[in-house]
Amino acid sequence: MPDLLLEFFSEEIPARMQARAAEDLRKLVTDKLVAAGLTYDGAKAFATPRRLALAVQGIPVRQPDVKEERKGPRVGAPENAIAGFLKAAGLKSIGEAKVQPDKKGDFYVALIEKPGRAAIEVIAEIVPEVIKTFPWPKSMRWGARKMKNVPTINAQGQSIPVVNEKGKTIPVVSDDWLSWVRPLHSIIAIFGPETEEPDIVKFEIEGIKSSDTTFGHRFMAPAQIKVRRFEDYVSKLEKAKVVLDAARRAEMIHADAKNLAFAQGFELVTDDGLLAEVAGLVEWPVVLMGEFDKAFLEIPGEVIRATIRTNQKCFVLRDPQTAKLVNKFIMVANIEASDGGKAIVAGCERVIRARLSDAKFFYETDLKTKLEDRLPKFEHIVFHEKLGTQKERIERIVRLAKELAPIVKADPKKAERAALLCKTDLLTEVVGEFPELQGLMGKYYAEAQGEDEAVAHACEDHYKPKGPDDLVPADPISVAVALADKIDILVGFWAIDEKPTGSKDPYALRRAALGVIRLIIANELRLSLAMAISVPFTAIRYEDERERRISNSMLMMAMRQRGADVETVRRFYRESGEFVHPSDFEEHVWAEFVSIANDLLSFFADRLKVQLREQGARHDLVDAVFALEGQDDLLMIVRRVEALGKFLDTDDGKNLLAGYKRATNIIRIEEKKDKKEYTGAPDPKLYNQAEEKELARTIDTAKAEASKSVAAEDFAAAMSAMAKLRPHVDAFFEKVTVNVDDKALRENRLKLLNEIRSATRAVADFSKIEG
């Protein structure tokens, strides 16, 4: 079957747009082909700085013929309805339609046969439409200027031409210019089998006629090239110094850069993002090496790398023995220069020298001001209009980090100091120039001013983990500040109802929640999230320090009254300076806190499901554990989920789950039928079968043992206790009839079944478990 080759040759396409544009081109064209009934075998798109190309294989020569039945009006319908039907169906008279009976009567039905069109004709309509509607993130209008008069409409609905003060009609520029990322120069559109000369898919757009010709490299092979098919196209472009495939260009750059560095005794610092960008800047990559003054090596290597990367798109090199940067760099040219690239390298070196001079000045200027001396400026910088200034946010982080320090076994004073300084590098010159260095520069500046090593590293690490592949901090000071930073931002945006919706997450709150989860699990921390949430919550709700402390004290006591663990409360409890009884606590504040905490815990549960699913755990088991009350200790939840998963993989677990579901189904049916709930303890006096007595005894034993094991955090033992129920549940269903005529006995047996449901809640809510 024939193949289609498209190429849009233009001025330079920004590197950051190329990969997306290639995918958009493939999707737009193939979607329209399929919609037109033209299926295909395969399609691949390509991008270089000056062209977008698409090769589609195995397209039929013609569209398939289509037969369609169109239902019309009822027999005997008004003439205008029949006339509209005839026009829509393309029939000359109603006699050409057939009558089809229906439940509602007899209706006219037209059988419309549409012969398939030649594929090349369909493609000639598709491609111009794709060009005109192409979704460039940024584009420019270009083409022949079309002038037209745009009339206005007066109150009477009359069209009035636009005229000037002398009464002459004013031509207005049309809005239907072609919009493309950069001006197009030529379009290849050829269609045909490999064994024959392909046909040109003929169309014209903005004066550019489709053809079978393109152009090679702008400087080394600018002559016109005629192509026949995709393989011929790729081969001739290669001869004309153009490598079509971006992945291959990236491989060439990486291999040549590594070899050139190795030949000089250095090692290339790999940068995948920069490699992809540079591959989008050249059609014929030529790797060259340059150098800069060794004096610049006095500034941090990351600053050197960011300067060279951002401003000149060059790679840095390091000494393989020491892993420190050397005063060399790799650049990629787009031309084989006659002088071997000496002039190109010299020009790049001049720019890098100037940029590194600026970076060195910024760094040395920053060192003259201590980090804590920058803090007053945060008072005038708004973090969020509803959450106050950066100064207020830092104060909340400091407060929470100090509270978390004992839990993560960190020095409270060091945690407080690290939290105070962790954001100050945002006001430095280097971070202002290179925002991606925030945190890292805070570490360097903290070290330079003699801060404790753990405090300095916390300035960098408190942003981590930034993603699923990022390292999780292990130092207690870093962990305390990282948790405080992430929990504060989550509570803050929950408090002002700025939560993620759908795919939108402008404040990266999902990433923050995953960061909290990874910090807790990786460091095996016992942390009550509800308690941690309360600290920034009261700080946001109360500006006055005394009110905040009193509120926090009352909140802690209220949580204690509602069943929170006393030791956990004691860790978070603050002396308010006066006795405040929990009954004085403002109920609306408690209600708001409970609402925010529950919603935020559900959000953590969803993120935990994602985390555990990636590790192979079942999401329904997370639901089953989270459904229990007071589940805000993520480490215990994970361990309970692991134990539950192992238990359900055994025969005892599977059979107990089946028995549980059978029991709950019976209870649900009977409760719905009787319009009452069968809760409460069954009466032992009404047990008249051995299986009832044994099940009741085993339930009491299993519930007690499981509860004791859960309290001791031995979840495997809790599951073993539940396993003891399995044979007695099986025996009960085999020997005992629940729905007997004796109402009292029936009710008692239903209550006994409900005890199975109650007992299993010691370890999880089995109703949430699938299967």
Side-chain angles (χ1 to χ4, degrees), residues 7 108 233 237 240 242 355 358 475 522 570 664 686 692 695:
E7 184 208 64
Y108 291 113
Y233 169 70
L237 279 183
V242 175
R355 296 296 187 180
D358 291 343
D475 183 83
R570 188 173 293 143
T664 52
L686 294 177
E692 290 177 273
L695 177 59

Side-chain angles (χ1 to χ4, degrees), residues 648-706:
L648 292 175
D649 284 338
T650 66
D651 289 339
D652 283 343
K654 292 173 184 175
N655 289 329
L656 179 60
L657 178 61
Y660 169 89
K661 290 189 177 296
R662 183 176 177 183
T664 52
N665 285 337
I666 292 171
I667 295 169
R668 184 173 59 252
I669 292 169
E670 298 307 314
E671 286 181 337
K672 184 178 180 180
K673 183 172 67 177
D674 300 341
K675 297 181 180 179
K676 62 179 291 188
E677 292 184 355
Y678 291 104
T679 56
D683 185 354
K685 295 178 182 178
L686 294 177
Y687 298 151
N688 60 11
Q689 288 186 232
E691 289 78 12
E692 290 177 273
K693 296 175 183 178
E694 281 300 308
L695 177 59
R697 183 188 61 78
T698 309
I699 285 174
D700 291 339
T701 303
K703 189 188 295 185
E705 290 181 4

Side-chain angles (χ1 to χ4, degrees), residues 45 166 175 217 260 268 301 321 359 423 489 613 631-632 765:
K166 295 182 180 180
D175 285 334
H217 192 282
L260 182 55
L268 178 71
Q321 303 299 322
K423 300 295 183 184
I489 200 168
R613 190 182 301 125
Q631 298 302 309
D632 65 345
D765 184 348

Side-chain angles (χ1 to χ4, degrees), residues 647 652 656 682 684 687 689-707 717-732 752-760 762:
F647 174 60
D652 283 343
L656 179 60
Y687 298 151
Q689 288 186 232
E691 289 78 12
E692 290 177 273
K693 296 175 183 178
E694 281 300 308
L695 177 59
R697 183 188 61 78
T698 309
I699 285 174
D700 291 339
T701 303
K703 189 188 295 185
E705 290 181 4
S707 298
M719 299 303 163
S720 297
M722 286 294 105
K724 295 177 182 178
L725 287 174
R726 178 256 174 118
H728 301 285
V729 171
D730 292 346
F732 179 87
L752 181 57
L753 289 182
N754 188 63
E755 286 294 289
I756 299 173
R757 181 163 58 182
S758 176
T760 55

Side-chain angles (χ1 to χ4, degrees), residues 12 23 46 83 87 98-99 106 126 142 175 186 244 271 281 383 427 435 450 453 480 534 569 603 624 663 691 710 715:
E12 272 72 11
E23 177 59 22
F46 305 87
K87 183 178 180 180
K98 65 178 182 179
V99 176
D106 294 339
I126 287 174
W142 63 277
D175 285 334
S186 67
L244 181 65
D271 188 330
L281 296 173
F383 170 66
L427 298 178
E453 184 179 356
S534 71
V569 173
F603 184 70
E691 289 78 12
V710 168
F715 300 115

Side-chain angles (χ1 to χ4, degrees), residues 135-333:
W136 292 106
K138 288 186 178 180
S139 58
M140 57 185 294
R141 297 187 306 175
W142 63 277
R145 294 176 65 87
K146 297 181 178 66
M147 311 299 287
K148 67 180 182 180
N149 183 261
V150 183
T152 59
I153 307 298
N154 64 13
Q156 288 74 39
Q158 297 171 324
S159 179
I160 308 296
V162 179
V163 296
N164 61 18
E165 56 188 12
K166 295 182 180 180
K168 292 186 177 181
T169 300
I170 302 174
V172 181
V173 179
S174 170
D175 285 334
D176 59 357
W177 286 11
L178 179 63
S179 183
W180 196 253
V181 63
R182 296 291 185 271
L184 278 169
H185 290 314
S186 67
I187 300 172
I188 286 180
I190 54 178
F191 180 71
E194 291 186 9
T195 54
E196 300 176 12
E197 191 71 24
D199 295 317
I200 295 173
V201 182
K202 294 183 179 179
F203 58 87
E204 181 177 344
I205 187 164
E206 290 299 334
I208 299 174
K209 294 182 178 180
S210 56
S211 68
D212 57 358
T213 60
T214 187
F215 301 87
H217 192 282
R218 182 190 288 274
F219 304 111
M220 293 188 289
Q224 195 174 69
I225 303 169
K226 184 174 182 179
V227 300
R228 289 187 65 248
R229 58 182 181 275
F230 178 67
E231 291 76 10
D232 180 53
Y233 169 70
V234 173
S235 174
K236 288 181 177 177
L237 279 183
E238 192 98 10
K239 292 177 182 177
K241 306 296 184 181
V242 175
V243 178
L244 181 65
D245 190 349
R248 183 161 170 260
R249 294 198 301 273
E251 289 173 3
M252 292 169 63
I253 293 168
H254 189 248
D256 290 351
K258 282 183 66 176
N259 291 337
L260 182 55
F262 181 77
Q264 299 293 322
F266 305 127
E267 184 179 60
L268 178 71
V269 177
T270 304
D271 188 330
D272 294 337
L274 179 60
L275 181 63
E277 184 176 5
V278 172
L281 296 173
V282 296
E283 289 192 320
W284 189 257
V286 178
V287 174
L288 303 168
M289 182 181 289
E291 67 177 339
F292 54 85
D293 194 326
K294 285 186 177 181
F296 292 123
L297 294 176
E298 296 174 2
I299 61 179
E302 291 85 356
V303 178
I304 295 173
R305 182 178 179 183
T307 301
I308 292 177
R309 182 191 198 279
T310 302
N311 295 300
Q312 285 300 102
K313 311 302 178 190
C314 295
F315 299 87
V316 295
L317 305 175
R318 64 188 169 204
D319 185 335
Q321 303 299 322
T322 64
K324 293 184 177 180
L325 294 189
V326 296
N327 64 322
K328 302 283 185 178
F329 64 87
I330 294 287
M331 65 169 296
V332 182

